[in-house]
Amino acid sequence: MTYQHVIIIVSALGGLIGGMGMGGGTLLIPLLTLCAGVEQHLAQAINLIAFVPMSIIALSIHRQNGYVAVGTAVPIALIALIGAAAGSIATVYASGRILKICFGVFLTALGVGIAIKNTVQVVKKFKKNKQAKKPQYKTER
């Protein structure tokens, strides 16, 4: 498989996940660094460039389907802009190795958090179903 093929596949997967609103960079950055051999700083910059058109298209489709709550999104976006500025400044001073470690820790924590949340939900559902199936006996005196 050539470098161009890898880039096309990685880009398509990142776009697919990004279009779903799940953060295409979560997939795009590791794929660019691991599969295409792109340096971490460059992978993050490519992700930011790709994010703009992906977001515009995804946002317009989600808006057409009634999934955009502007009143909720605007305050979140404004606060996120402050975080984006802080993160961008911090990235300038961090090495590629540190960025990889931070990103790996972030993805691991995210995965563990999701796994715990889903496990708790499954256990609660199991207990609820077990209670519903428990036979109810009337006691006579």
Side-chain angles (χ1 to χ4, degrees), residues 63-125:
R63 187 165 185 240
Q64 287 174 355
N65 290 315
Y67 296 129
V68 177
V70 176
T72 303
V74 169
I76 292 170
L78 292 175
I79 294 167
L81 285 173
I82 296 167
S88 297
I89 292 167
T91 299
V92 171
Y93 298 103
S95 69
R97 186 177 187 316
I98 295 296
L99 292 175
K100 282 183 180 181
I101 291 169
C102 290
F103 194 66
V105 168
F106 165 73
L107 291 179
T108 302
L110 187 64
V112 168
I114 290 170
I116 290 170
K117 180 181 176 185
N118 288 335
T119 301
V120 167
Q121 287 176 344
V122 167
V123 169
K124 284 182 179 178
K125 187 175 180 178

Side-chain angles (χ1 to χ4, degrees), residues 13-115:
L13 291 172
L16 179 68
I17 298 298
M20 292 179 183
M22 295 189 291
T26 305
L27 184 65
L28 187 59
I29 293 170
L31 290 176
L32 283 172
T33 58
L34 297 173
C35 299
V38 175
E39 193 268 327
Q40 186 73 24
H41 282 92
L42 182 57
Q44 289 179 209
I46 290 168
N47 174 64
L48 292 173
I49 292 167
F51 178 76
V52 174
M54 282 191 315
S55 295
I56 291 168
I57 291 170
L59 181 59
S60 66
I61 292 170
H62 287 299
R63 187 165 185 240
Q64 287 174 355
N65 290 315
Y67 296 129
V68 177
V70 176
T72 303
V74 169
I76 292 170
L78 292 175
I79 294 167
L81 285 173
I82 296 167
S88 297
I89 292 167
T91 299
V92 171
Y93 298 103
S95 69
R97 186 177 187 316
I98 295 296
L99 292 175
K100 282 183 180 181
I101 291 169
C102 290
F103 194 66
V105 168
F106 165 73
L107 291 179
T108 302
L110 187 64
V112 168
I114 290 170

